[in-house]
Amino acid sequence: MRDQQTRPIFRTSKLEDADGPGLNPTRTPTMGEIIAARFSRRGFLKGSMAVTAISATVSPIALLSATDAQASPASAFTFPEVTADVDADHHVAPGYDADVLLRWGDKVFADAPDFDPLNQSEAAQERQFGYNNDFVGFIPLGGADDRGLLVVNHEYTNDHLMFPGIVTITDGEIAVSEADETRVGIEMAAHGGTIIEIRKVDGKWQPVLDGALNRRITARTAMELTGPAAGHARLQTVADPSGRAVMGTINNCAGGVTPWGTWIMAEENIHGYFMGTLPEGHPEAANYERLGIPEATYAWGRFHERFDVSKDPNEANRFGWIVEVDVMDPASTPKKRTALGRFKHEGAESVVARDGRVVFYLGDDERFDYVYKFVTAGAYNPNNRAANMDLLDDGTLYVARFHDDGRVEWLPLVHGQGPLTAANGFSSQADVLIETRRAADLLEATPMDRPEDIQPNPVTGRAYVMLTNNTRRDEANAANPRVENAFGHIIEIIEADGDFTATTGTWEILVKCGDPKIAEVGATFSTETTVNGWFGMPDNAAVDSDGRLWVSTDGNSMGDTGRTDGLWAVDTEGAARGTSRLFYRVPVGAEMCGPCITRDMTTFFVAVQHPGDGGEDWEGHGRPSYYEDLSTRWPDFDDAMPVRPAVVAITKQGGGRIG
Ligand code: FEO
Ligand code: CA
Ligand code: CA
Ligand code: CA
């Protein structure tokens, strides 16, 4: 995996790999850990005695699926696999087209300037598609899936790939010059997100540059803090005594589209944007330490004092939230919804529960941090969009405890309950939300192997948790059974009675990832999985309209897996459960983000993030990759153009459903 130990040279490489051994100080064995480690619960369930013993806690829907499982031998997928490998291009399964739709620097508005990589400016970047596309959502405009809004997060910037003349190599030592104010301005404008209308013309997608709803959101867009923590003294700053008006959103990783058609941008690795030292004895010291703030990966604080904690100590409390954007009003103020807690939010995928309340699954991507879900207090109203617009301000946030007997318990993070009282420094629900991690520590939630995207499956009533990796454990727990978990795993949650609002459920491991041929890795893909079909480091996921699971990855490379990242189709049902096959793979150095399949299943939008960020371990390059010496110039392959992150639209040749 692309950890910083192997590639420390470029300071803007993945922030999440620079997070040290984890920031959770409480990872003592809390709830019966270990016993079930390396123990196949699924095998256990096959025994009739086991079914009797566990039937009180396994939902009817789960037992039903287990029966179906034995009756259905075939994979739900029939596409021919791509060959896993590493090269400078992307590749999709035979019979499909993968067309580049939007690249970094492309116009988002008809009057935007053309991309000129040698003369980029903040003003130009504010009108152009941003860098490092991550989450992708499609919000249809009209009944058919041939016209809609594409919403895309721009997670972070890789300066060494974006800017000419900033990398120097002296005696094999590589350095990146510190950003000046111009570069910082471009970086800030390349963050955030894009809303752009797209349309299918003669079977091919194209952007609609005069779309009335097109919009760029950046690190400087005016936003509003809402919900229980809004206005709290800890959110008040020099520039904003109200504690409600924030500028911008940063490090928007995965996200979601709500049932009412708003866009969720999750703020993840916020620590790297802050510099300076808190004033001596400042009350936020422990709070910031728990999140690794500040880390000063970026130089923004040199030119914008709010990013310097010595000058504006509360600004960092205004990041790390879930942001909701009303895409139908380009003048709307995005809302930071404090009710969903503050941590390194990976994403927020949602599902409407039986009683109409809406459940959001939330991962906190750090070693030894937690899995959460949020249940709205109000019910979704499918007939009145306006009635749903503040559903995210009121509800209950829960954190997961994965018991070793296969139960999962959702523990409410509610002020006044259990240890969440003034005696422990929580004077109100605002305190609980601002310091969500510390509140969850006190509830003895289960420390996980970096929870990334969590995807509910409305067809089966389950949810899939991507746990990307963690090689720094000294003790396993049942839900994180490998001490040396270099390749991650996927947990399946079966909520009680198939009710997504349930506060209990069961769990099992769908698959432990890695190369099944290497015994020590302990991977558990089905034996039907080919040499191309296995993967490591699950990160994002999608569930299609048929309830099939698709998984994208972050961290596969020549050195550890002999393959790039990509998009894999993973069977969850029947005898084929645990079978994976490779559908699409990215160019060298890239990560696969944003898998988003349209409702009619005829288009898969995928986000190729940080292509060309690496290539030392690939024989086609074999040395560091930076602007002047790139491992790939995808997607243009034009010597005048740098490598560019891009969103790709995958369709079946001749049309039809994917998969
Ligand atoms: Fe930005 Fe956790 O991936
Ligand atoms: Ca991610
Ligand atoms: Ca997802
Ligand atoms: Ca990741």
Side-chain angles (χ1 to χ4, degrees):
M1 69 186 202
R2 277 168 292 189
D3 240 316
Q4 68 164 157
Q5 297 95 309
T6 53
R7 308 187 43 253
I9 49 176
F10 298 125
R11 66 158 185 80
T12 51
S13 288
K14 299 289 293 180
L15 288 168
E16 64 203 27
D17 285 335
D19 61 4
L23 295 165
N24 186 343
T26 67
R27 50 190 186 89
T28 49
T30 48
M31 60 243 85
E33 292 182 342
I34 288 282
I35 300 168
R38 301 171 193 279
F39 174 76
S40 164
R41 182 162 296 100
R42 191 158 191 86
F44 183 68
L45 278 171
K46 280 180 190 147
S48 58
M49 194 184 75
V51 170
T52 309
I54 208 164
S55 58
T57 56
V58 174
S59 67
I61 194 169
L63 292 174
L64 188 70
S65 317
T67 311
D68 289 346
Q70 281 141 33
S72 159
S75 169
F77 303 96
T78 56
F79 66 85
E81 268 191 311
V82 192
T83 304
D85 202 348
V86 179
D87 63 33
D89 210 347
H90 66 161
H91 300 271
V92 69
Y96 291 82
D97 287 328
D99 299 308
V100 173
L101 177 61
L102 285 159
R103 303 160 296 187
W104 167 48
D106 280 350
K107 295 179 179 202
V108 174
F109 307 91
D111 63 355
D114 288 326
F115 181 53
D116 178 356
L118 299 179
N119 295 288
Q120 182 63 318
S121 69
E122 179 177 2
Q125 182 64 76
E126 280 178 340
R127 309 288 286 168
Q128 299 165 340
F129 197 63
Y131 207 76
N132 271 348
N133 30 222
D134 197 306
F135 176 78
V136 178
F138 177 74
I139 301 173
L141 296 170
D145 283 352
D146 57 3
R147 181 179 162 244
L149 298 177
L150 201 71
V151 294
V152 182
N153 285 355
H154 301 299
E155 188 184 25
Y156 69 105
T157 49
N158 293 101
D159 288 25
H160 63 288
L161 304 176
M162 294 172 69
F163 299 102
I166 66 168
V167 172
T168 50
I169 303 183
T170 315
D171 299 333
E173 290 289 306
I174 293 166
V176 181
S177 70
E178 185 163 79
D180 59 14
E181 190 166 9
T182 301
R183 213 168 100 198
V184 165
I186 297 166
E187 289 173 356
M188 293 176 84
H191 276 68
T194 293
I195 301 170
I196 186 166
E197 184 178 333
I198 58 170
R199 190 188 300 257
K200 215 177 196 177
V201 179
D202 298 331
K204 295 289 181 192
W205 288 95
Q206 50 184 245
V208 180
L209 296 187
D210 55 2
L213 302 176
N214 293 4
R215 183 176 186 184
R216 274 301 324 281
I217 286 170
T218 74
R220 304 179 84 168
T221 301
M223 311 215 160
E224 181 186 354
L225 285 152
T226 71
H232 192 277
R234 298 174 72 180
L235 302 187
Q236 295 168 3
T237 62
V238 175
D240 172 35
S242 78
R244 292 174 186 273
V246 193
M247 268 173 75
T249 183
I250 47 176
N251 212 266
N252 305 93
C253 191
V257 170
T258 64
W260 51 96
T262 57
W263 167 32
I264 300 287
M265 309 169 74
E267 295 183 330
E268 192 194 24
N269 288 299
I270 59 163
H271 54 292
Y273 299 84
F274 294 90
M275 59 169 51
T277 307
L278 276 179
E280 188 67 28
H282 196 276
E284 299 299 349
N287 164 24
Y288 285 4
E289 188 180 354
R290 185 69 178 79
L291 286 158
I293 300 168
E295 187 170 284
T297 305
Y298 287 89
W300 295 7
R302 289 181 53 216
F303 309 100
H304 303 272
E305 291 192 348
R306 64 193 179 109
F307 291 108
D308 182 336
V309 298
S310 72
K311 299 188 172 127
D312 209 345
N314 283 353
E315 180 73 356
N317 273 338
R318 292 136 64 87
F319 293 87
W321 302 104
I322 286 294
V323 183
E324 183 180 18
V325 184
D326 179 1
V327 298
M328 301 311 290
D329 176 6
S332 64
T333 303
K335 307 276 202 298
K336 296 201 178 188
R337 302 293 191 183
T338 64
L340 284 78
R342 175 171 168 270
F343 44 85
K344 293 182 183 174
H345 275 290
E346 172 72 22
E349 297 279 14
S350 59
V351 62
V352 180
R354 239 175 252 145
D355 67 1
R357 288 184 291 163
V358 188
V359 180
F360 288 78
Y361 286 90
L362 312 165
D364 182 358
D365 182 6
E366 188 112 38
R367 297 176 178 95
F368 310 111
D369 267 290
Y370 306 130
V371 166
Y372 298 82
K373 77 175 177 184
F374 177 79
V375 182
T376 59
Y380 164 59
N381 183 340
N383 303 311
N384 182 359
R385 184 171 185 269
N388 303 311
M389 294 307 281
D390 290 317
L391 274 179
L392 289 184
D393 279 345
D394 192 9
T396 306
L397 181 64
Y398 299 89
V399 67
R401 187 188 291 166
F402 292 88
H403 290 267
D404 62 359
D405 62 0
R407 287 178 303 124
V408 60
E409 206 181 340
W410 293 101
L411 311 164
L413 291 148
V414 176
H415 177 253
Q417 292 187 14
L420 306 183
T421 61
N424 286 312
F426 299 104
S427 299
S428 66
Q429 185 64 15
D431 286 332
V432 171
L433 296 169
I434 291 166
E435 290 186 83
T436 304
R437 282 184 170 183
R438 192 167 70 82
D441 294 343
L442 291 172
L443 293 178
E444 298 187 353
T446 304
M448 310 297 289
D449 289 346
R450 293 186 54 198
E452 300 252 27
D453 198 8
I454 305 171
Q455 195 72 37
N457 184 338
V459 177
T460 62
R462 302 180 218 165
Y464 294 91
V465 185
M466 306 299 122
L467 295 150
T468 202
N469 60 26
N470 182 358
T471 56
R472 316 256 174 96
R473 265 185 192 282
D474 24 61
E475 60 212 357
N477 59 47
N480 301 275
R482 290 188 287 188
V483 173
E484 187 70 21
N485 187 8
F487 301 102
H489 58 290
I490 299 174
I491 287 179
E492 179 184 66
I493 292 174
I494 307 149
E495 303 282 20
D497 299 323
D499 176 2
F500 286 106
T501 69
T503 54
T504 59
T506 58
W507 64 269
E508 59 181 86
I509 291 177
L510 172 66
V511 67
K512 293 182 214 167
C513 306
D515 186 347
K517 288 201 307 296
I518 304 172
E520 310 84 77
V521 168
T524 59
F525 288 100
S526 87
T527 53
E528 300 298 303
T529 303
T530 73
V531 68
N532 303 305
W534 64 267
F535 58 84
M537 290 72 84
D539 189 336
N540 296 342
V543 164
D544 65 27
S545 299
D546 283 354
R548 300 180 304 174
L549 180 66
W550 300 79
V551 174
S552 68
T553 62
D554 169 17
N556 292 273
S557 66
M558 199 71 199
D560 53 27
T561 61
R563 59 199 56 207
T564 61
D565 285 318
L567 180 63
W568 278 265
V570 183
D571 278 293
T572 59
E573 307 304 311
R577 181 176 163 95
T579 304
S580 171
R581 61 170 84 192
L582 178 55
F583 181 65
Y584 173 83
R585 68 173 162 93
V586 298
V588 61
E591 160 183 355
M592 180 86 284
C593 295
C596 166
I597 187 163
T598 52
R599 296 167 306 180
D600 66 7
M601 293 170 53
T602 62
T603 304
F604 225 131
F605 297 107
V606 293
V608 176
Q609 196 189 58
H610 61 77
D613 186 18
E616 297 92 325
D617 60 355
W618 171 48
E619 61 271 24
H621 193 65
R623 56 194 184 276
S625 173
Y626 57 100
Y627 193 97
E628 284 80 12
D629 189 14
L630 289 160
S631 56
T632 176
R633 287 185 187 274
W634 187 87
D636 306 307
F637 295 107
D638 174 347
D639 286 346
M641 278 292 167
V643 63
R644 296 206 268 176
V647 170
V648 172
I650 300 173
T651 51
K652 197 169 188 174
Q653 288 165 2
R657 284 154 64 99
I658 286 173

